[in-house]
Amino acid sequence: MSATETPDAATARRRKLIAYVPLAIFLGLAFLFLLRLGAGDISRVPSALIGRPVPQTVLAPLPGLERDGKPVPGINPADFTGAVTVLNVWASWCIPCHTEAPLLLKLAADKRIRVVGINQADQPDNARRFLGRHGNPFVAVGVDSNRRASIEWGVYGVPETFVVGRDGRIAYKLIGEITERNLETTLRPQIEKALAATPSS
């Protein structure tokens, strides 16, 4: 307290300082958390499902969706065995999903892999319009209207992308939008790794 400061003013000043303590603690913890994630890169969050079989959840197809004149099927866990699969969780209301759509088409051009989608909490008309606008990279699309399947896959939010090996086990998970950079530096190498792997018995 300065010589000119009254006791009431000093008490008020101390109370203001004390009020900032929780904020300072929160900011400090947030900073440490971001450092732990690698400068805030949420795509580095580990998944407990890596190395485990895909969830055994059958998803119905997106009504009215066709590809090459034939109905696009839903998702059956048995279909993950025997081929390397890239599974993308998406929705028409997801802004980053619109941005990454052309990159999924690039991936789908690789005939060594299957690209499938889980459409999360979407309206069928909106989902079909989305694929009509951007193009359909998916050989199968499962509808997850209540987000239950997404929870079983350990999804934090859309978009997320998984690489599944020929053995039907989850090999890699990318949280967030596919970008030109992470497509070439991370996702494609993980796909190549899965293609080169010998399926476990």
Side-chain angles (χ1 to χ4, degrees):
M1 183 172 71
S2 67
T4 59
E5 191 174 36
T6 66
D8 288 342
T11 301
R13 186 166 55 85
R14 276 196 298 272
R15 284 181 181 161
K16 280 186 181 179
L17 289 173
I18 290 170
Y20 287 112
V21 170
L23 177 61
I25 292 171
F26 172 78
L27 291 175
L29 290 174
F31 178 72
L32 290 174
F33 180 70
L34 290 176
L35 283 179
R36 185 73 181 256
L37 291 182
D41 183 1
I42 196 169
S43 68
R44 296 189 185 197
V45 176
S47 172
L49 297 180
I50 300 299
R52 295 188 182 181
V54 298
Q56 298 301 296
T57 306
V58 175
L59 291 176
L62 180 62
L65 181 63
E66 293 188 352
R67 180 178 170 132
D68 300 327
K70 298 178 181 177
V72 174
I75 290 179
N76 189 319
D79 295 337
F80 288 97
T81 305
V84 172
T85 303
V86 173
L87 179 137
N88 179 256
V89 185
W90 64 282
S92 65
W93 46 261
C94 158
I95 293 173
C97 296
H98 289 261
T99 307
E100 72 174 9
L103 299 176
L104 282 167
L105 286 173
K106 275 188 181 182
L107 281 174
D110 187 341
K111 300 307 178 187
R112 300 174 300 164
I113 63 174
R114 299 170 64 243
V115 179
V116 304
I118 291 179
N119 181 234
Q120 187 192 92
D122 212 346
Q123 295 296 321
D125 287 346
N126 293 341
R128 286 193 301 271
R129 275 194 291 269
F130 176 98
L131 295 175
R133 175 183 175 186
H134 296 293
N136 179 14
F138 306 119
V139 297
V141 176
V143 174
D144 184 22
S145 55
N146 60 9
R147 293 184 168 94
R148 184 171 180 178
S150 298
I151 291 170
E152 292 177 358
W153 277 84
V155 171
Y156 291 94
V158 289
E160 288 192 16
T161 304
F162 297 80
V163 177
V164 180
R166 292 188 187 93
D167 56 3
R169 293 178 181 272
I170 298 171
Y172 177 73
K173 174 182 179 180
L174 175 71
I175 299 174
E177 176 187 346
I178 300 171
T179 64
E180 290 281 3
R181 181 174 180 179
N182 65 30
L183 175 62
E184 299 305 327
T185 63
T186 305
L187 196 52
R188 281 197 195 277
Q190 290 292 337
I191 292 169
E192 293 298 334
K193 184 177 175 182
L195 286 167
T198 303
S200 57
S201 57

